[in-house]
């Protein structure tokens, strides 16, 4: 009976020692970092939807951005997680052709990082003429495409009925934010 008890004690001790050894040889859980934040229009402060956020220095074909970047949601929020700590990452924010890209410096990913970005709109129009106009005509609510973005181009005709030649300047401004 004593030999059975001693055998059980030895077996328990061996199992306990084995469990301690297995636990000691298991690597510690890897530490991960993340990037998150909001992207807004630098002029209006409005959140920007569908901004492509690239992580790292390699950017693939922008026409295939949906396969290699994280997009902001309707509130301008983005989130990239499960990044190994101890590395530095640059971020690029891209929403062409309406906004200029923003490239961050290399940011050490040692913890959750919050990076809010304000994208500058691209100015698509040439500077307006500084000459004094002889006539100014405003055509409110003339859209570039009737029927929305997939509609047809809106035609308009300008005819000079005078005998002298004239210069004409036409500018279009967005309804959404007043930019050219």
């Amino acid at each position: 009976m004593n030999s059975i008890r001693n055998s059980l004690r030895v077996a328990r001790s061996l199992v306990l020692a084995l469990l301690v050894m297995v636990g000691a040889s298991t690597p510690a859980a890897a530490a991960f970092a993340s990037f998150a934040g909001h992207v807004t229009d630098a002029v209006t402060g409005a959140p920007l939807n569908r901004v492509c956020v690239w992580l790292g220095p390699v950017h693939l074909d922008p026409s295939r951005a949906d396969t290699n970047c994280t997009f902001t949601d309707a509130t301008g929020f983005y989130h990239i997680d499960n990044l190994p700590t101890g590395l530095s990452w640059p971020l690029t924010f891209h929403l062409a052709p309406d906004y200029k890209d923003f490239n961050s410096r290399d940011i050490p990913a040692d913890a959750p990082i919050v990076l809010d970005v304000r994208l500058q709109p691209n100015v698509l129009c040439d500077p307006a003429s500084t000459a004094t106009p002889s006539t100014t005509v405003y055509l409110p609510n003339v859209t570039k495409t009737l029927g929305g973005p997939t509609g047809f181009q809106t035609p308009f005709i300008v005819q000079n009925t005078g005998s002298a030649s004239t210069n004409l300047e036409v500018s279009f401004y967005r309804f959404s934010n007043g930019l050219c």
Side-chain angles (χ1 to χ4, degrees):
M1 196 75 162
N2 279 340
S3 65
I4 293 174
R5 284 187 188 149
N6 286 338
S7 296
L8 285 174
R9 284 184 192 149
V10 169
R12 282 187 210 144
S13 297
L14 286 174
V15 168
L16 182 60
L18 183 62
L19 288 174
V20 168
M21 286 174 34
V22 168
S25 67
T26 303
F32 292 98
S34 63
F35 287 104
H38 287 87
V39 182
T40 55
D41 182 298
V43 175
T44 66
L48 296 176
N49 188 23
R50 302 268 318 145
V51 174
C52 176
V53 182
W54 272 302
L55 177 67
V58 177
H59 301 163
L60 300 178
D61 180 3
S63 66
R64 297 182 35 99
D66 59 326
T67 63
N68 59 55
C69 68
T70 298
F71 287 100
T72 58
D73 64 14
T75 67
F77 180 75
Y78 72 95
H79 186 250
I80 303 170
D81 59 1
N82 293 328
L83 302 171
T85 58
L87 299 174
S88 293
W89 300 92
L91 292 172
T92 297
F93 297 81
H94 175 77
L95 184 60
D98 297 334
Y99 290 87
K100 296 176 183 175
D101 285 357
F102 175 82
N103 297 298
S104 77
R105 58 178 168 62
D106 284 1
I107 302 171
D110 294 328
I113 305 291
V114 175
L115 179 63
D116 293 331
V117 173
R118 297 175 57 101
L119 291 185
Q120 292 291 334
N122 277 327
V123 178
L124 301 176
C125 291
D126 292 332
S129 171
T130 57
T132 304
S134 56
T135 304
T136 301
V137 177
Y138 295 97
L139 302 173
N141 300 329
V142 172
T143 60
K144 186 178 118 186
T145 51
L146 287 174
T150 60
F152 59 91
Q153 295 291 319
T154 305
F156 64 93
I157 299 169
V158 178
Q159 182 177 7
N160 181 3
T161 58
S163 58
S165 65
T166 186
N167 293 328
L168 177 68
E169 181 176 308
V170 179
S171 299
F172 290 93
Y173 296 90
R174 296 180 186 165
F175 290 111
S176 62
N177 57 15
L179 293 175
C180 186

